[in-house]
Amino acid sequence: MAKWGEGDARWQVADMGEGGRNVNNWHWTEKDALPWCRERLTEMLGSADLAPGSGLGVRATGVKSCAGEAVVNNRKNKIIAAYELSVVLGWEGSVADGTSVTGEVRLPYISEENHDEDPEMQVATSSEGPAAQQLKAAILGSGKKVVHGAVAVFVKELRAGGPMRSGAAQPKAAPAKSVDAAVGQAAQGAAAAAPAAAAANGAAAGQQAEKEAAAAAAKKEAAAASSGHSIELKERFFAGAAELFECFTVPPRMMAYTQSPAEAEPQPGGKFSLYGGSVQGVFREVAPNQRILMDWRFSNWEDGSFSRVELRFEEPDRGNTLVTLKQTGIPDADRFGHHDVVGTVEAGWRQQVFDRIRRLTIHAQACRPAAPAAGRGAAARRPAAAAPRDVRARASQGDVEDAIASNPLFNSQFMGVLRDSLARQGSESLMRNAQAQGPRTSATEEVLTTALAQSKQTLQQLVVWREQIDRQIAAQQKQVDRMEFALNKSRGDAAYLRALKEMMHGDM
């Protein structure tokens, strides 16, 4: 029997620390990865250039917040990452005239559910104005690729283990007190090689993530370029072509019906924007009061994706204008993958542009004083039946104008349109119509006939709007169903992870 302190070291039990109690990460281990996420995002985006190639100085000022939860689990050396983060970056920038603007870049939802997609990105400014809008557009342009590329690398590293792969998170085995020198040297060599291997794995994962992000971006651009939906709309307005032309080229008129910031430079190459930048584009051809050709896009379309819009203004009668819109090259989906772009564009033109312009012009017509018309037909109705034909024609026109002026059903705009129509027809046309059609109908009946035609047209428009609303409701219901499915799946995954964790702890 060996004496105390003597004997073969191979038969002595050594204290191997944590490494001896969880060999090869066989048992379930869990680590809070939120501090690592905040530190890693700061390294990648804390001072990044958010508008490369734009000529503007826009730079991130750090990660203002990284909220949510991020946990990395390891069982039998298999990594399971669960995370749901909301990240806010600060930024500051300036334009050519020296105006400085600050703001935030918000990434409201980074989760394992959308690890293979570009996260939603929102840009907020601390002030309003042309400088803020210019910097915001630059960040949403070239800066988006910078942010999405960094997030793709970050997600790849987190899913590969994050802090558990960094070398600091893995439990280090304590050196054996009684093991021979060869075993100790081998353990030290393995410990020294672990950080290098982790760094190599991280670099390889980053390069692979960048390649995948570039391939996804190229795929999206190709899909946007290959799609080309089109719409054609025709709208009639009781207003002049010049007045309607200004609704697309004069910023005060544009802001009057949108009730939001608008800009326009009505010349070839000039830019325009509506609804605070939600709609933007470039004028290509401008023919005053006749035609507008422009490149047009929503701000949530893919970068560089534009459609072509042509607006024509035809005014066959004074104050009666037909506006024809043709739009081609509408993409199949926006940058978030929503495929109802065509319906959204058409509904936007009808509800947010044409209907608002119509209400604006009707209000302007109603506010104008109506020309006095009463009494003009009274003197014309006095001559006997033997009066000359031109006198009888003027009497007929006077009857209609008196009926229009005295009838409370019609506003000043409607009165002006009918009065102009009567003036164009002339006395000879009125007499020919009266002789061809037999006894002339009353002036009130003629006015009501015209009003009936207008009401039928309005009814048809309302039916079209109802169909569009039904389509929007159906699309929104599909979106709700998808979100409910995603929520239920997330809850089920969380319950599964909790049960698995409890089971693993029970095995220990």
Side-chain angles (χ1 to χ4, degrees):
M1 184 174 181
K3 296 182 179 180
W4 181 264
E6 297 179 1
D8 193 341
R10 293 175 298 175
W11 300 101
Q12 296 179 0
V13 178
D15 184 6
M16 301 183 66
E18 184 64 25
R21 287 187 286 271
N22 191 11
V23 179
N24 295 327
N25 292 310
W26 179 263
H27 300 291
W28 182 281
T29 59
E30 178 178 290
K31 182 171 183 62
D32 181 11
L34 190 59
W36 177 89
C37 294
R38 186 179 296 107
E39 180 181 354
R40 187 68 180 119
L41 288 172
T42 301
E43 293 175 358
M44 303 176 72
L45 293 172
S47 59
D49 183 3
L50 297 182
S54 65
L56 302 175
V58 186
R59 188 165 295 278
T61 59
V63 177
K64 301 180 69 173
S65 68
C66 180
E69 60 179 359
V71 177
V72 178
N73 303 293
N74 195 334
R75 163 65 173 166
K76 296 183 181 179
N77 211 25
K78 180 179 180 181
I79 300 297
I80 303 174
Y83 57 95
E84 184 174 324
L85 302 173
S86 175
V87 180
V88 179
L89 307 175
W91 63 267
E92 61 180 5
S94 59
V95 295
D97 61 0
T99 304
S100 298
V101 180
T102 61
E104 296 178 346
V105 174
R106 299 166 183 166
L107 305 172
Y109 190 67
I110 302 176
S111 172
E112 69 271 12
E113 295 180 356
N114 60 353
H115 70 275
D116 56 345
E117 302 175 1
D118 291 335
E120 179 185 0
M121 175 175 164
Q122 303 170 356
V123 179
T125 58
S126 60
S127 60
E128 298 292 338
Q133 294 298 325
Q134 186 177 1
L135 294 173
K136 180 178 179 180
I139 296 175
L140 290 175
S142 58
K144 179 167 292 187
K145 295 180 180 179
V146 174
V147 175
H148 284 168
V151 171
V153 175
F154 163 77
V155 169
K156 194 77 174 181
E157 294 178 357
L158 180 59
R159 290 173 58 83
M164 285 192 172
R165 295 293 186 184
S166 65
Q170 290 284 15
K172 296 181 180 179
K177 297 179 180 179
S178 305
V179 181
D180 55 21
V183 176
Q185 291 177 358
Q188 292 177 1
N201 292 337
Q207 294 176 359
Q208 182 65 23
E210 291 178 355
K211 292 180 181 180
E212 292 179 358
K219 183 178 179 180
K220 290 182 179 179
E221 291 178 1
S226 62
S227 62
H229 301 283
S230 61
I231 60 173
E232 182 173 353
L233 305 176
K234 292 185 178 181
E235 298 286 337
R236 186 171 297 278
F237 298 86
F238 292 122
E243 184 179 2
L244 296 172
F245 181 83
E246 292 178 352
C247 291
F248 298 92
T249 56
V250 179
R253 296 281 293 179
M254 298 162 67
M255 288 187 286
Y257 70 85
T258 62
Q259 299 295 305
S260 61
E263 299 177 0
E265 301 174 7
Q267 58 184 2
K271 297 182 179 180
F272 69 89
S273 66
L274 289 168
Y275 293 100
S278 296
V279 175
Q280 52 194 239
V282 180
F283 290 102
R284 294 306 177 192
E285 298 180 15
V286 180
N289 307 335
Q290 296 179 359
R291 181 173 178 265
I292 299 175
L293 187 66
M294 52 189 172
D295 292 340
W296 188 101
R297 71 187 300 271
F298 272 133
S299 60
N300 64 347
W301 290 3
E302 290 288 352
D303 297 335
S305 178
F306 284 86
S307 65
R308 179 59 59 90
V309 171
E310 181 184 21
L311 286 166
R312 290 187 176 273
F313 305 88
E314 302 176 13
E315 188 178 8
D317 304 325
R318 187 169 67 89
N320 182 14
T321 304
L322 176 66
V323 178
T324 302
L325 176 140
K326 293 182 179 180
Q327 184 168 0
T328 58
I330 302 174
D332 181 64
D334 60 18
R335 71 180 66 196
F336 304 114
H338 300 151
H339 291 273
D340 56 345
V341 176
V342 177
T344 301
V345 170
E346 183 174 351
W349 279 111
R350 293 188 184 276
Q351 301 170 14
Q352 304 301 326
V353 179
F354 291 143
D355 287 355
R356 288 173 174 253
I357 292 176
R358 182 173 287 108
R359 290 195 293 268
L360 178 66
T361 56
I362 290 176
H363 177 72
Q365 291 282 352
C367 292
R368 296 172 186 168
R376 287 175 24 179
R381 287 194 296 272
R382 291 196 188 99
R389 292 174 58 187
D390 59 338
V391 175
R392 293 198 300 271
R394 286 196 298 272
S396 300
Q397 181 175 346
D399 290 343
V400 176
E401 292 181 358
D402 285 349
I404 294 172
S406 61
N407 197 318
L409 294 176
F410 311 111
N411 57 20
S412 59
Q413 177 193 3
F414 190 71
M415 292 162 56
V417 172
L418 288 181
R419 187 178 297 111
D420 292 341
S421 178
L422 293 173
R424 284 191 307 273
Q425 292 176 11
S427 59
E428 292 297 328
S429 175
L430 284 174
M431 291 303 299
R432 284 196 299 270
N433 291 340
Q435 292 175 358
Q437 298 177 4
R440 185 174 65 87
T441 58
S442 66
T444 303
E445 185 176 352
E446 293 178 2
V447 172
L448 290 176
T449 301
T450 305
L452 177 61
Q454 295 291 334
S455 298
K456 290 182 178 179
Q457 182 180 1
T458 302
L459 178 60
Q460 294 175 353
Q461 185 65 54
L462 290 174
V463 171
V464 173
W465 289 345
R466 184 180 64 182
E467 294 175 352
Q468 294 174 352
I469 292 174
D470 291 340
R471 288 196 297 269
Q472 291 293 328
I473 292 175
Q476 193 63 29
Q477 184 61 47
K478 291 181 179 179
Q479 181 67 12
V480 171
D481 293 341
R482 288 195 293 266
M483 296 301 294
E484 290 181 348
F485 174 79
L487 178 60
N488 294 332
K489 181 178 181 299
S490 176
R491 290 173 176 171
D493 292 344
Y496 171 75
L497 288 175
R498 285 194 300 269
L500 187 60
K501 180 179 177 181
E502 293 174 358
M503 181 179 66
M504 293 301 102
H505 282 299
D507 292 343
M508 295 175 59

